[in-house]
Amino acid sequence: MASSAPAAGTPEAGTPGSMGDVRRGNLALVLGRIALSGAGTHLTRAQIAAATGLTKASVSSLVLDLLDAGIVREIGLNPQGERGRPGVGLELNPARGVMGMEINVDYISAGVTDLAGNLLLQETREQDNRRVTPDSVSAALADLAAGLRDTAEAQGVRVLGGGLAVPGLVDAKAGTVITAPNLGWNAATLDLAVVLPDVPLGTTLFNEANAAALAELRYRPAGDADFLFVSGEVGVGGGLVIGSELFTGPHGHAGELGHVVVQPEGTLCSCGGTGCLETVAGQDAIFGAAGIPTQTAPGPAASGLAAGPAGYGPARSESLAQLLTALAARDVDALGAVSRAGHYLGVAVASTVRLLDIPSVVLGGHFAILGEWIRPALAESLARYAPGKVPAGNISLSAVGQAGALLGAAGSVVRSLVEAPHRLQDQAP
């Protein structure tokens, strides 16, 4: 389901306000109980009434609204924990889903999940999105999403809304990418209705690292309440989870780990600063130090403008495969490049965990793929610059892999639905 639980204090019958507000709050309360019941557990109306303190009649009326909206469905009889005649169980409707999408520097990706968070479909297309207009990239993503949506609907799953993750600072309310240095985008307003048209919940914009951090919160078996998620792509991002909630700061832009300065006299970064972590630990930096050419695949064919620099080589995934082969062969340059990246990643993480008192680090993107080789250097760096703050055992790899950003974006859309199910009350199944 969503990335974290709805607040326990959802308004109930005694909350001041209009009757409509009370009913909407109670609707969210009931749906939240169903959503949190877990796989294989199907609460009945009586069990929900007992858990929420609402009357059975109220719960029955609210459940009817959720059934009419197509958000939940009845399933069999549930004899557990009840006297007398077994009640009918309830679960999130598996015939409803959401679309998670991602635009990154060298690929676009989309996936459909059901309301319980299960990934049903996913497709990734490698393409260089640098020097390509936002409209062109959006059009390519729309084409990808449309194909997945058609497949989902052919399987009986209706897509209710979407979440789109991008590697940059965003204004979600305005649908604007404030800045995405590695894409070359500034103040770029995306037409989200074109990316995923005619969905009742619309499409919401997210920062890629924040979305991936939310996915980790949802899917990690350890269930850590506090951790720093480090996203490794062409750029480097970070997501802060504190008290099982994503912390984004007063303006929504906290966690920019890739632009923490680790080499004050270092090289110029895409953000305009100097010596940022990204300049020594991003994919391009690692490939360059390892002697592996930075290679990209062409951007959207229908873009109407140059998709990127001239002279394309194989896709970036092949460059990463070359690096892994070199590491396995104990190539000195490759080992040195990854060790250097791990060292400076430790410098940035040490400052972050000292400031925010976070005990765990989760590595995503290429940092997770390079985990075997990068973790020792990272642990050594942390032990040197922040001794005792993050034990080596608290450095872990992503539980969701490359799908993290789209899973987190999709999960946030589900969470918004759980917290405000009245948004679908007028949408008949």
mmCIF file with all atom_site columns, all heavy atoms in Angstrom, residues 254-269:
data_model
loop_
_atom_site.group_PDB
_atom_site.id
_atom_site.type_symbol
_atom_site.label_atom_id
_atom_site.label_alt_id
_atom_site.label_comp_id
_atom_site.label_asym_id
_atom_site.label_entity_id
_atom_site.label_seq_id
_atom_site.pdbx_PDB_ins_code
_atom_site.Cartn_x
_atom_site.Cartn_y
_atom_site.Cartn_z
_atom_site.occupancy
_atom_site.B_iso_or_equiv
_atom_site.pdbx_formal_charge
_atom_site.auth_seq_id
_atom_site.auth_comp_id
_atom_site.auth_asym_id
_atom_site.auth_atom_id
_atom_site.pdbx_PDB_model_num
ATOM 1   N N   . ALA A 1 254 ? 15.076 19.329 1.450   1.00 0.00 ? 254 ALA A N   1
ATOM 2   C CA  . ALA A 1 254 ? 16.120 18.737 2.287   1.00 0.00 ? 254 ALA A CA  1
ATOM 3   C C   . ALA A 1 254 ? 16.618 17.433 1.658   1.00 0.00 ? 254 ALA A C   1
ATOM 4   O O   . ALA A 1 254 ? 15.917 16.789 0.884   1.00 0.00 ? 254 ALA A O   1
ATOM 5   C CB  . ALA A 1 254 ? 15.575 18.465 3.687   1.00 0.00 ? 254 ALA A CB  1
ATOM 6   N N   . GLY A 1 255 ? 17.847 17.066 2.003   1.00 0.00 ? 255 GLY A N   1
ATOM 7   C CA  . GLY A 1 255 ? 18.385 15.791 1.548   1.00 0.00 ? 255 GLY A CA  1
ATOM 8   C C   . GLY A 1 255 ? 19.256 15.856 0.315   1.00 0.00 ? 255 GLY A C   1
ATOM 9   O O   . GLY A 1 255 ? 19.565 14.823 -0.269  1.00 0.00 ? 255 GLY A O   1
ATOM 10  N N   . GLU A 1 256 ? 19.687 17.045 -0.104  1.00 0.00 ? 256 GLU A N   1
ATOM 11  C CA  . GLU A 1 256 ? 20.505 17.176 -1.319  1.00 0.00 ? 256 GLU A CA  1
ATOM 12  C C   . GLU A 1 256 ? 21.946 16.747 -1.062  1.00 0.00 ? 256 GLU A C   1
ATOM 13  O O   . GLU A 1 256 ? 22.883 17.544 -1.150  1.00 0.00 ? 256 GLU A O   1
ATOM 14  C CB  . GLU A 1 256 ? 20.449 18.617 -1.828  1.00 0.00 ? 256 GLU A CB  1
ATOM 15  C CG  . GLU A 1 256 ? 19.157 18.976 -2.511  1.00 0.00 ? 256 GLU A CG  1
ATOM 16  C CD  . GLU A 1 256 ? 18.996 18.221 -3.829  1.00 0.00 ? 256 GLU A CD  1
ATOM 17  O OE1 . GLU A 1 256 ? 19.692 18.546 -4.800  1.00 0.00 ? 256 GLU A OE1 1
ATOM 18  O OE2 . GLU A 1 256 ? 18.172 17.282 -3.879  1.00 0.00 ? 256 GLU A OE2 1
ATOM 19  N N   . LEU A 1 257 ? 22.111 15.466 -0.778  1.00 0.00 ? 257 LEU A N   1
ATOM 20  C CA  . LEU A 1 257 ? 23.426 14.940 -0.400  1.00 0.00 ? 257 LEU A CA  1
ATOM 21  C C   . LEU A 1 257 ? 24.443 15.100 -1.520  1.00 0.00 ? 257 LEU A C   1
ATOM 22  O O   . LEU A 1 257 ? 25.629 15.331 -1.268  1.00 0.00 ? 257 LEU A O   1
ATOM 23  C CB  . LEU A 1 257 ? 23.299 13.464 -0.014  1.00 0.00 ? 257 LEU A CB  1
ATOM 24  C CG  . LEU A 1 257 ? 24.549 12.841 0.600   1.00 0.00 ? 257 LEU A CG  1
ATOM 25  C CD1 . LEU A 1 257 ? 24.742 13.347 2.022   1.00 0.00 ? 257 LEU A CD1 1
ATOM 26  C CD2 . LEU A 1 257 ? 24.442 11.318 0.595   1.00 0.00 ? 257 LEU A CD2 1
ATOM 27  N N   . GLY A 1 258 ? 24.010 14.973 -2.754  1.00 0.00 ? 258 GLY A N   1
ATOM 28  C CA  . GLY A 1 258 ? 24.941 15.047 -3.875  1.00 0.00 ? 258 GLY A CA  1
ATOM 29  C C   . GLY A 1 258 ? 25.614 16.387 -4.019  1.00 0.00 ? 258 GLY A C   1
ATOM 30  O O   . GLY A 1 258 ? 26.645 16.497 -4.690  1.00 0.00 ? 258 GLY A O   1
ATOM 31  N N   . HIS A 1 259 ? 25.063 17.413 -3.368  1.00 0.00 ? 259 HIS A N   1
ATOM 32  C CA  . HIS A 1 259 ? 25.643 18.748 -3.485  1.00 0.00 ? 259 HIS A CA  1
ATOM 33  C C   . HIS A 1 259 ? 26.210 19.246 -2.155  1.00 0.00 ? 259 HIS A C   1
ATOM 34  O O   . HIS A 1 259 ? 26.392 20.438 -1.966  1.00 0.00 ? 259 HIS A O   1
ATOM 35  C CB  . HIS A 1 259 ? 24.613 19.706 -4.084  1.00 0.00 ? 259 HIS A CB  1
ATOM 36  C CG  . HIS A 1 259 ? 24.167 19.257 -5.439  1.00 0.00 ? 259 HIS A CG  1
ATOM 37  N ND1 . HIS A 1 259 ? 25.009 19.280 -6.535  1.00 0.00 ? 259 HIS A ND1 1
ATOM 38  C CD2 . HIS A 1 259 ? 23.014 18.696 -5.859  1.00 0.00 ? 259 HIS A CD2 1
ATOM 39  C CE1 . HIS A 1 259 ? 24.367 18.779 -7.581  1.00 0.00 ? 259 HIS A CE1 1
ATOM 40  N NE2 . HIS A 1 259 ? 23.165 18.410 -7.196  1.00 0.00 ? 259 HIS A NE2 1
ATOM 41  N N   . VAL A 1 260 ? 26.507 18.287 -1.270  1.00 0.00 ? 260 VAL A N   1
ATOM 42  C CA  . VAL A 1 260 ? 27.330 18.571 -0.101  1.00 0.00 ? 260 VAL A CA  1
ATOM 43  C C   . VAL A 1 260 ? 28.778 18.677 -0.583  1.00 0.00 ? 260 VAL A C   1
ATOM 44  O O   . VAL A 1 260 ? 29.255 17.827 -1.344  1.00 0.00 ? 260 VAL A O   1
ATOM 45  C CB  . VAL A 1 260 ? 27.204 17.461 0.955   1.00 0.00 ? 260 VAL A CB  1
ATOM 46  C CG1 . VAL A 1 260 ? 28.230 17.639 2.069   1.00 0.00 ? 260 VAL A CG1 1
ATOM 47  C CG2 . VAL A 1 260 ? 25.790 17.447 1.531   1.00 0.00 ? 260 VAL A CG2 1
ATOM 48  N N   . VAL A 1 261 ? 29.476 19.712 -0.175  1.00 0.00 ? 261 VAL A N   1
ATOM 49  C CA  . VAL A 1 261 ? 30.853 19.932 -0.640  1.00 0.00 ? 261 VAL A CA  1
ATOM 50  C C   . VAL A 1 261 ? 31.808 19.000 0.101   1.00 0.00 ? 261 VAL A C   1
ATOM 51  O O   . VAL A 1 261 ? 31.867 19.007 1.332   1.00 0.00 ? 261 VAL A O   1
ATOM 52  C CB  . VAL A 1 261 ? 31.272 21.401 -0.438  1.00 0.00 ? 261 VAL A CB  1
ATOM 53  C CG1 . VAL A 1 261 ? 32.733 21.598 -0.844  1.00 0.00 ? 261 VAL A CG1 1
ATOM 54  C CG2 . VAL A 1 261 ? 30.364 22.326 -1.240  1.00 0.00 ? 261 VAL A CG2 1
ATOM 55  N N   . VAL A 1 262 ? 32.531 18.191 -0.649  1.00 0.00 ? 262 VAL A N   1
ATOM 56  C CA  . VAL A 1 262 ? 33.503 17.273 -0.051  1.00 0.00 ? 262 VAL A CA  1
ATOM 57  C C   . VAL A 1 262 ? 34.928 17.584 -0.497  1.00 0.00 ? 262 VAL A C   1
ATOM 58  O O   . VAL A 1 262 ? 35.880 17.099 0.095   1.00 0.00 ? 262 VAL A O   1
ATOM 59  C CB  . VAL A 1 262 ? 33.154 15.804 -0.393  1.00 0.00 ? 262 VAL A CB  1
ATOM 60  C CG1 . VAL A 1 262 ? 31.825 15.402 0.243   1.00 0.00 ? 262 VAL A CG1 1
ATOM 61  C CG2 . VAL A 1 262 ? 33.128 15.566 -1.899  1.00 0.00 ? 262 VAL A CG2 1
ATOM 62  N N   . GLN A 1 263 ? 35.068 18.371 -1.565  1.00 0.00 ? 263 GLN A N   1
ATOM 63  C CA  . GLN A 1 263 ? 36.386 18.809 -2.052  1.00 0.00 ? 263 GLN A CA  1
ATOM 64  C C   . GLN A 1 263 ? 36.307 20.309 -2.358  1.00 0.00 ? 263 GLN A C   1
ATOM 65  O O   . GLN A 1 263 ? 36.011 20.701 -3.494  1.00 0.00 ? 263 GLN A O   1
ATOM 66  C CB  . GLN A 1 263 ? 36.770 18.057 -3.325  1.00 0.00 ? 263 GLN A CB  1
ATOM 67  C CG  . GLN A 1 263 ? 37.277 16.652 -3.132  1.00 0.00 ? 263 GLN A CG  1
ATOM 68  C CD  . GLN A 1 263 ? 37.825 16.085 -4.435  1.00 0.00 ? 263 GLN A CD  1
ATOM 69  O OE1 . GLN A 1 263 ? 37.285 16.292 -5.505  1.00 0.00 ? 263 GLN A OE1 1
ATOM 70  N NE2 . GLN A 1 263 ? 38.935 15.354 -4.337  1.00 0.00 ? 263 GLN A NE2 1
ATOM 71  N N   . PRO A 1 264 ? 36.548 21.168 -1.366  1.00 0.00 ? 264 PRO A N   1
ATOM 72  C CA  . PRO A 1 264 ? 36.401 22.612 -1.583  1.00 0.00 ? 264 PRO A CA  1
ATOM 73  C C   . PRO A 1 264 ? 37.209 23.144 -2.770  1.00 0.00 ? 264 PRO A C   1
ATOM 74  O O   . PRO A 1 264 ? 36.804 24.119 -3.399  1.00 0.00 ? 264 PRO A O   1
ATOM 75  C CB  . PRO A 1 264 ? 36.888 23.216 -0.270  1.00 0.00 ? 264 PRO A CB  1
ATOM 76  C CG  . PRO A 1 264 ? 36.650 22.148 0.744   1.00 0.00 ? 264 PRO A CG  1
ATOM 77  C CD  . PRO A 1 264 ? 36.910 20.858 0.024   1.00 0.00 ? 264 PRO A CD  1
ATOM 78  N N   . GLU A 1 265 ? 38.307 22.511 -3.083  1.00 0.00 ? 265 GLU A N   1
ATOM 79  C CA  . GLU A 1 265 ? 39.119 22.944 -4.222  1.00 0.00 ? 265 GLU A CA  1
ATOM 80  C C   . GLU A 1 265 ? 38.938 22.015 -5.413  1.00 0.00 ? 265 GLU A C   1
ATOM 81  O O   . GLU A 1 265 ? 39.790 21.947 -6.304  1.00 0.00 ? 265 GLU A O   1
ATOM 82  C CB  . GLU A 1 265 ? 40.611 22.969 -3.812  1.00 0.00 ? 265 GLU A CB  1
ATOM 83  C CG  . GLU A 1 265 ? 40.907 23.806 -2.579  1.00 0.00 ? 265 GLU A CG  1
ATOM 84  C CD  . GLU A 1 265 ? 40.439 25.251 -2.735  1.00 0.00 ? 265 GLU A CD  1
ATOM 85  O OE1 . GLU A 1 265 ? 40.563 25.796 -3.844  1.00 0.00 ? 265 GLU A OE1 1
ATOM 86  O OE2 . GLU A 1 265 ? 39.942 25.817 -1.742  1.00 0.00 ? 265 GLU A OE2 1
ATOM 87  N N   . GLY A 1 266 ? 37.812 21.323 -5.457  1.00 0.00 ? 266 GLY A N   1
ATOM 88  C CA  . GLY A 1 266 ? 37.584 20.335 -6.495  1.00 0.00 ? 266 GLY A CA  1
ATOM 89  C C   . GLY A 1 266 ? 37.063 20.920 -7.790  1.00 0.00 ? 266 GLY A C   1
ATOM 90  O O   . GLY A 1 266 ? 37.262 22.108 -8.093  1.00 0.00 ? 266 GLY A O   1
ATOM 91  N N   . THR A 1 267 ? 36.350 20.110 -8.556  1.00 0.00 ? 267 THR A N   1
ATOM 92  C CA  . THR A 1 267 ? 35.896 20.508 -9.879  1.00 0.00 ? 267 THR A CA  1
ATOM 93  C C   . THR A 1 267 ? 34.498 21.105 -9.841  1.00 0.00 ? 267 THR A C   1
ATOM 94  O O   . THR A 1 267 ? 33.750 20.941 -8.874  1.00 0.00 ? 267 THR A O   1
ATOM 95  C CB  . THR A 1 267 ? 35.905 19.301 -10.833 1.00 0.00 ? 267 THR A CB  1
ATOM 96  O OG1 . THR A 1 267 ? 35.042 18.275 -10.288 1.00 0.00 ? 267 THR A OG1 1
ATOM 97  C CG2 . THR A 1 267 ? 37.307 18.745 -10.978 1.00 0.00 ? 267 THR A CG2 1
ATOM 98  N N   . LEU A 1 268 ? 34.151 21.787 -10.918 1.00 0.00 ? 268 LEU A N   1
ATOM 99  C CA  . LEU A 1 268 ? 32.851 22.429 -11.034 1.00 0.00 ? 268 LEU A CA  1
ATOM 100 C C   . LEU A 1 268 ? 31.763 21.379 -11.170 1.00 0.00 ? 268 LEU A C   1
ATOM 101 O O   . LEU A 1 268 ? 31.894 20.415 -11.911 1.00 0.00 ? 268 LEU A O   1
ATOM 102 C CB  . LEU A 1 268 ? 32.831 23.352 -12.254 1.00 0.00 ? 268 LEU A CB  1
ATOM 103 C CG  . LEU A 1 268 ? 31.580 24.219 -12.448 1.00 0.00 ? 268 LEU A CG  1
ATOM 104 C CD1 . LEU A 1 268 ? 31.473 25.243 -11.329 1.00 0.00 ? 268 LEU A CD1 1
ATOM 105 C CD2 . LEU A 1 268 ? 31.631 24.907 -13.811 1.00 0.00 ? 268 LEU A CD2 1
ATOM 106 N N   . CYS A 1 269 ? 30.671 21.586 -10.450 1.00 0.00 ? 269 CYS A N   1
ATOM 107 C CA  . CYS A 1 269 ? 29.533 20.660 -10.459 1.00 0.00 ? 269 CYS A CA  1
ATOM 108 C C   . CYS A 1 269 ? 28.446 21.187 -11.397 1.00 0.00 ? 269 CYS A C   1
ATOM 109 O O   . CYS A 1 269 ? 28.384 22.388 -11.696 1.00 0.00 ? 269 CYS A O   1
ATOM 110 C CB  . CYS A 1 269 ? 28.989 20.498 -9.042  1.00 0.00 ? 269 CYS A CB  1
ATOM 111 S SG  . CYS A 1 269 ? 27.568 19.386 -8.906  1.00 0.00 ? 269 CYS A SG  1
#
